[in-house]
Amino acid sequence: MFASSDRVLKLAVGPVLLAALGSALDIPVSTLTQITDFGDNPTGVENYVYVPATLADPPALIAAIHYCTGTAQAYYSGTEYATLAEKYGYIVLYPEAPAEGKCWDVHTDETLTHDAGGDSLGIANGLRYLVDLYGVDSEQVFATGTSSGAMMTNVLAGAYPDLIKAGAAFAGVPYACFAGESAWSTECAQGQLIKSGEEWGALALAGYAGYTGTRPKMALWHGSVDTTLNTQNYYEEIKQWTNIFGVSENATSVTEDWPISGWTLSEFGDNVQGILASGVDHNIPVQAQKVLEWFGIA
């Protein structure tokens, strides 16, 4: 872990750095700015970036992904990721879903498959573009989101494990839980799609067939009385990611009242953690500082 003061690098420190940044100079600092021409984008995802006034050397990169009916601007304004970027020197990508209603495509074969298309490819290519543009540390590329954005976080973790190194999903569902012809799965949403850890794990591994590298560690946050994406999905996510890492579905440690009174942190080895918020419905508040700590940024 690095202190922010040890890692930040001023954007304007001399001609060598300015030349290296190239077209990054066209992106104003401390402002939400749309980027274009970032690569293949078959569904028309809109990508916006927030670059702080100072960057870590090298910087980390987070995709912060909105909920259904949301926008990049709404998630930018409604979470602390941009504010905290000024402290820790990372870059934030705020994607915006192209579909009417602003839900993410988390159901098609294309979006669930590495480099095959769908909304996930538009996000992945936005991240790749920023990695190249700013010299981002490839080991510090992360994804987080709420509701539909949490579902997309799981999709990216399954389909792009070479790109995403950790995820934090707030009120989501397992990778491929919504798979099928329809954009909405009532069976999954109501917590009726029950599988074994082996079955869930096989689905996630199929997102990038043949990939043998490391998998992103996952933090799974959910309200205990969520009826929009039923809380059973929290337990199904735990099955999936503990299977991916070959660890028990039984927690190795449990911490009560973390990080808020009534919330419980369950850890499943080093790479999977679940946070169950007692009495909280689908509108679980994002805990940005804890997400950054999970990512190793803070």
Side-chain angles (χ1 to χ4, degrees), residues 230-251:
N230 188 279
T231 306
Q232 182 62 38
N233 283 299
Y234 165 76
Y235 298 103
E236 301 303 305
E237 286 176 297
I238 288 172
K239 289 181 190 178
Q240 184 167 67
W241 295 108
T242 54
N243 178 263
I244 289 293
F245 285 102
V247 298
S248 173
E249 294 173 15
N250 298 314

Side-chain angles (χ1 to χ4, degrees), residues 6-289:
D6 295 331
R7 304 180 67 225
V8 294
L9 178 67
K10 294 290 184 181
L11 283 179
V13 295
V16 174
L17 178 58
L18 295 183
L21 287 175
S23 61
L25 295 176
D26 297 330
I27 300 176
V29 299
S30 304
T31 303
L32 188 65
T33 304
Q34 186 172 8
I35 57 173
T36 57
D37 300 324
F38 49 81
D40 192 14
N41 183 24
T43 62
V45 171
E46 293 184 5
N47 277 321
Y48 297 78
V49 64
Y50 184 90
V51 179
T54 57
L55 283 176
D57 181 21
L61 173 61
I62 300 173
I65 311 170
H66 68 73
Y67 41 84
C68 281
T69 75
T71 62
Q73 176 68 51
Y75 213 58
Y76 161 74
S77 301
T79 61
E80 295 181 289
Y81 294 114
T83 300
L84 291 170
E86 297 291 349
K87 179 179 180 181
Y88 294 109
Y90 59 83
I91 298 165
V92 192
L93 177 73
Y94 294 95
E96 184 165 315
E100 184 178 359
K102 296 298 182 182
C103 292
W104 292 101
D105 168 18
V106 294
H107 71 99
T108 66
D109 288 343
E110 290 80 10
T111 203
L112 291 168
T113 304
H114 182 80
D115 279 348
D119 290 352
S120 66
L121 182 57
I123 298 173
N125 280 339
L127 290 170
R128 289 163 171 162
Y129 172 81
L130 293 171
V131 167
D132 291 341
L133 190 60
Y134 287 98
V136 168
D137 181 353
S138 62
E139 295 301 311
Q140 293 196 80
V141 180
F142 310 110
T144 186
T146 298
S147 189
S148 184
M151 296 158 71
M152 178 55 77
T153 297
N154 277 280
V155 167
L156 290 170
Y160 294 91
D162 58 326
L163 178 63
I164 303 298
K165 303 307 178 182
F170 286 80
V173 304
Y175 170 93
C177 193
F178 265 47
E181 293 184 3
S182 175
W184 182 259
S185 170
T186 298
E187 182 183 27
C188 177
Q190 292 183 353
Q192 298 170 348
L193 190 58
I194 310 298
K195 296 181 181 292
S196 68
E198 290 78 8
E199 290 171 323
W200 282 125
L203 287 171
L205 292 175
Y208 190 176
Y211 175 74
T212 58
T214 58
R215 299 280 167 174
K217 66 178 189 175
M218 296 295 288
L220 310 165
W221 301 70
H222 221 102
S224 70
V225 293
D226 189 337
T227 57
T228 302
L229 295 174
N230 188 279
T231 306
Q232 182 62 38
N233 283 299
Y234 165 76
Y235 298 103
E236 301 303 305
E237 286 176 297
I238 288 172
K239 289 181 190 178
Q240 184 167 67
W241 295 108
T242 54
N243 178 263
I244 289 293
F245 285 102
V247 298
S248 173
E249 294 173 15
N250 298 314
T252 53
S253 68
V254 176
T255 305
E256 302 291 344
D257 298 321
W258 188 98
I260 293 171
S261 179
W263 296 25
T264 302
L265 166 67
S266 298
E267 297 179 273
F268 305 84
D270 296 332
N271 295 305
V272 182
Q273 64 174 209
I275 301 90
L276 189 63
S278 179
V280 176
D281 61 15
H282 190 58
N283 298 307
I284 183 170
V286 171
Q287 304 299 308
Q289 180 68 35

